[in-house]
Amino acid sequence: MWLESGAEALQLLGDCADGTTPFDVLCVEGAMLNGPNGTGRFHLMAGSGRPLTEWVERLARRARWVFAIGSCTAFGGFSATTPGNPLEACGLQYDGDEPGGLLGEAFVAAGGLPVVNIAGCPAHPGWVVDTLQKLALDGLTAGDLDECGRPLLYAEQLVHHGCSRNEYYEFKASARQHSDLGCLMENLGCKGTQAHADCNVRTWNGGGSCLRGGFACIACTEPGFEAPGHPFQETPKIAGIPIGLPTDMPKAWFIALSVLSKSATPKRVRDNAVADHPVVRPAVRKPSK
């Protein structure tokens, strides 16, 4: 078995782009660089002398389905948030959280779908494989995607779901530093209640996630996550109340429930929240005589 490289690879890509060789799926990774001055010449396809953006546009018109792999390809990501955006970077069909991007808001691939955004920084390999597998076995429809074009097979959940710190969240028992066991939302920047992904259910490398490693979720599957306007691992507040509250609950309800939850926090949860290991074990109930 051999793979095309060099001139052979360029010939194959050219045949796909002009329709000589039909193909089904185009997967693109990395932001689209339109600079300087809209020429795209900041990023040339090696050996071709032509902008990568030109290749992507030509190939996208021939593909039956187009996939943006990662948040940079989906929404522009870090490249697009450099001050002034000198690279003129954008996503395939989004520029930040606004439809548009390189291919334009109206783009629909031959298979009938817009760009499928497998967003994440990085994207979980399971999200990529499972989406392609679903396409191959069952097909993909618009109903399988959310409002940002992300596959619902991972984006219909929040990172908050399955979090090992949920008991601390429920009682609003917050960590003060990253080595603490408590909830990271109140003080340490966690956006797990706002990020659409299944990271704590479909764990990484068989058992990990940002939160299980002691780091706050920075919502890397969301458009604009890379420029939150504050340090990633800090929670901005107004009058002591975090400004980034859960997306699926009215703010007034959350604040009221927080007050009630804190007043009912068990000593075990309160003490363990600010320690790097359990210092109070769950009580053992003696059988009644």
Side-chain angles (χ1 to χ4, degrees), residues 66 86 105 144 225 266 280:
V66 179
E105 181 177 1
D144 296 316
F225 86 93
V280 181

Side-chain angles (χ1 to χ4, degrees), residues 75 117-119 144-146 148-152 154-155 196 221-223:
F75 309 122
N117 290 321
I118 307 180
D144 296 316
L145 308 177
D146 74 357
C148 294
R150 296 170 297 199
L152 288 174
Y154 78 91
H196 294 80
T221 60
E222 304 299 314

Side-chain angles (χ1 to χ4, degrees), residues 169-170 172 185 241-242 245-262:
Y169 169 83
E170 290 166 2
K172 304 302 173 280
M185 188 192 85
I241 300 172
L245 296 179
T247 58
D248 55 357
M249 180 184 294
K251 290 185 177 181
W253 292 11
F254 178 84
I255 294 170
L257 287 173
S258 295
V259 173
L260 291 173
S261 296
K262 285 192 174 185

Side-chain angles (χ1 to χ4, degrees), residues 3-287:
L3 296 175
E4 294 83 353
S5 62
E8 295 169 335
L10 285 175
Q11 181 64 52
L12 177 59
L13 288 172
D15 290 344
C16 290
D18 64 21
T20 302
T21 299
F23 67 102
D24 290 321
V25 176
L26 174 66
C27 294
V28 183
E29 184 177 10
M32 299 292 97
L33 309 186
N34 293 297
N37 302 317
T39 65
R41 296 191 65 81
F42 275 150
H43 192 183
L44 303 181
M45 172 72 81
S48 74
R50 299 168 70 177
L52 184 67
T53 50
E54 180 183 324
W55 280 101
V56 170
E57 287 184 294
R58 293 176 63 207
L59 290 165
R61 287 196 294 268
R62 300 290 184 179
R64 294 188 66 192
W65 295 280
V66 179
F67 291 80
I69 310 298
S71 290
C72 286
T73 328
F75 309 122
F78 284 99
S79 299
T81 53
T82 304
N85 194 6
L87 299 176
E88 300 173 38
C90 63
L92 278 183
Q93 201 168 10
Y94 274 81
D95 189 356
D97 59 0
E98 296 294 328
L102 177 72
L103 300 177
E105 181 177 1
F107 172 80
V108 177
L113 290 180
V115 174
V116 178
N117 290 321
I118 307 180
C121 189
H124 193 299
W127 303 340
V128 180
V129 172
D130 283 6
T131 302
L132 292 174
Q133 184 179 50
K134 186 178 188 316
L135 171 65
L137 298 180
D138 301 325
L140 278 176
T141 69
D144 296 316
L145 308 177
D146 74 357
E147 294 83 349
C148 294
R150 296 170 297 199
L152 288 174
L153 62 85
Y154 78 91
E156 68 179 352
Q157 299 188 55
L158 295 173
V159 171
H160 173 64
H161 299 155
C163 178
S164 59
R165 299 168 183 261
N166 273 348
E167 182 180 34
Y168 298 103
Y169 169 83
E170 290 166 2
F171 284 108
K172 304 302 173 280
S174 299
R176 297 172 184 165
Q177 56 189 4
H178 285 95
S179 58
D180 291 344
L181 299 178
C183 180
L184 303 175
M185 188 192 85
E186 183 177 4
N187 301 316
L188 298 172
C190 184
K191 296 184 177 179
T193 58
Q194 306 164 54
H196 294 80
D198 59 2
C199 298
N200 284 305
V201 177
R202 184 203 306 263
T203 52
W204 294 69
N205 296 322
S209 71
C210 294
L211 287 156
R212 294 185 188 199
F215 295 94
C217 170
I218 62 173
C220 73
T221 60
E222 304 299 314
F225 86 93
E226 67 283 343
H230 59 83
F232 281 121
Q233 303 293 303
E234 295 180 13
T235 301
K237 302 175 184 178
I238 297 177
I241 300 172
I243 62 174
L245 296 179
T247 58
D248 55 357
M249 180 184 294
K251 290 185 177 181
W253 292 11
F254 178 84
I255 294 170
L257 287 173
S258 295
V259 173
L260 291 173
S261 296
K262 285 192 174 185
S263 67
T265 305
K267 182 179 187 303
R268 171 182 62 83
V269 175
R270 183 173 61 250
D271 292 351
N272 288 344
V274 291
D276 62 2
H277 66 283
V279 294
V280 181
R281 298 190 303 273
V284 176
R285 185 177 297 279
K286 295 182 180 179

